[in-house]
Amino acid sequence: MARSVFGRSKHAHSRRYRQYLGQPVLPCPALPPLPCSLPPPLYKPSFPHDPHVLTAMAITKEPGQKGVSWSNIAVGGIMNMFEVTTLGQPLEVLKTQMAANRQQTMFQAMQTVWSRGGVAGFYQGLIPWAWIEASTKGAVLLFTASEIETATTSMGVNPAVAGLLGGMGGGIAQAYATMGFCTCMKTAEITRHKQAAAGIKPPSTWAVFADIYRREGIAGINKGVNAVAVRQCTNWGSRMGFARLAESNIRKWKGKGEDEKLTAFEKILSSTIGGALATWNQPIEVVRVEMQSMAKGAERGEKKTILNTLSYIYKENGIKGLYRGVTPRIGLGMWQTVCMVSFADYVKAWVKGQ
C-alpha cells in the first residue's frame, strides 16, 4: 500500500485533510460478517417440528400450554354426555340385555327392550344414572388420558403406544373414581325386569339404590368395580391405541407428513377402526354384567368374583355365551371412540383457540 511522507496511508491522509478543509468524509467500507461456526446439534428430531406442539398423531401439549390442561375436564364431560344421549344409551341397553340374557338373539333382545315402552325402553337408565356417569367418567377419562399422552409423547414415545398408555390410565381412573356405583345402578335398572318375570313387582331405581346400600354398604354399590376397571382399562387402552395406530397408517398410505393434519373423514375412520377392534374384550363385559345383575342364582352363590362368574357363564353357555352382545357393542365402541377421540380432538383445539 502506498504511503505518504508522514508514514500514513493516502486514504487516512485524505480523510483527515478533508476533515481539516470541512469537506464531507465518505464512510469506511463495512466489514464482512464474521463466519458463524456453531457446533452441530447433538439430537436431530425425527420430524422438523417441536415435539411439544399439538399434532394430529397424538394429544400433546398445545402451543403455549403451561402445565395441566384443566379445560379437558369440561370437554370430556360434555362429549361423553353427547355420546350417551344420542346413540350411546340405546346401544348400551341392547348390549346389556343380550349379555344378561344370553339365550336371546339380537332380534329377540330388541323386541324385549321395545316392550318396555317403545323408544323410551332403549333409553332406560339414562336419567339419572347414565347422565351422572357420563358427565363424571368422561371428564376423568379425557383429562387423565390427555395428560398421560402429553407426558409420554414429550418423552419420545410412539403415538400409538402413548395412546394405549393414556387410554389404560384414563380407563382405570374413571372406573374407580366414578363408574362403580353408576354402572351398578344402571345395570340394575336394565336387568331388574327379571324380578318381574318371577312375579315380583320391580322397585324403583332409588329404591334399588337404598336397598343395596342398606344390605351391603359401599361395597355393594361398587359391586363389580374390579371387572369394570379391567374392562375400562382394556377398552380405552385398545380404542385410543388402535385409533392412533390407524391414524399413523393412514398418514403413510396417503403420503402425509407428521405435520400435516388428517381430514375429518380420516380422523373418524381411524376412530371407527379403533372402536371396532377394541371389542376383543367382550368376555370381560359379559362377566361385568353378570356380576352386577339383580338375578340371584344358587349355582353362583352370594360371593361373585371375576373368575367364578367367568366359569359359571362358560359352563352355562359355552364360549358363545362370553361373546353375547358383541354386535351392538361394536357399534357402541365405534361411536364412543369417534366422540371421545376424533370429536374431542376438534373440540379441544377449538377451546384452546378461544
Side-chain angles (χ1 to χ4, degrees), residues 46-63:
S46 58
F47 52 92
H49 289 274
D50 188 350
H52 293 82
V53 175
L54 176 64
T55 68
M57 289 289 293
I59 304 172
T60 56
K61 284 187 181 297
E62 292 79 0

Side-chain angles (χ1 to χ4, degrees), residues 256-272:
K256 292 187 174 183
E258 303 291 345
D259 58 326
E260 294 182 75
K261 291 184 178 181
L262 296 176
T263 65
F265 174 77
E266 290 167 346
K267 291 281 290 181
I268 292 173
L269 178 62
S270 301
S271 295
T272 301

Side-chain angles (χ1 to χ4, degrees), residues 220-238:
I221 297 299
N222 285 280
K223 185 187 301 179
V225 71
N226 291 331
V228 172
V230 174
R231 182 196 69 169
Q232 292 305 104
C233 175
T234 54
N235 266 1
W236 286 108
S238 300

Side-chain angles (χ1 to χ4, degrees), residues 83 137 236 239 332-341:
E83 176 269 321
K137 79 174 185 178
W236 286 108
R239 288 170 181 172
L332 178 62
M334 289 178 176
W335 181 238
Q336 286 181 332
T337 311
V338 167
C339 289
M340 299 304 293
V341 178

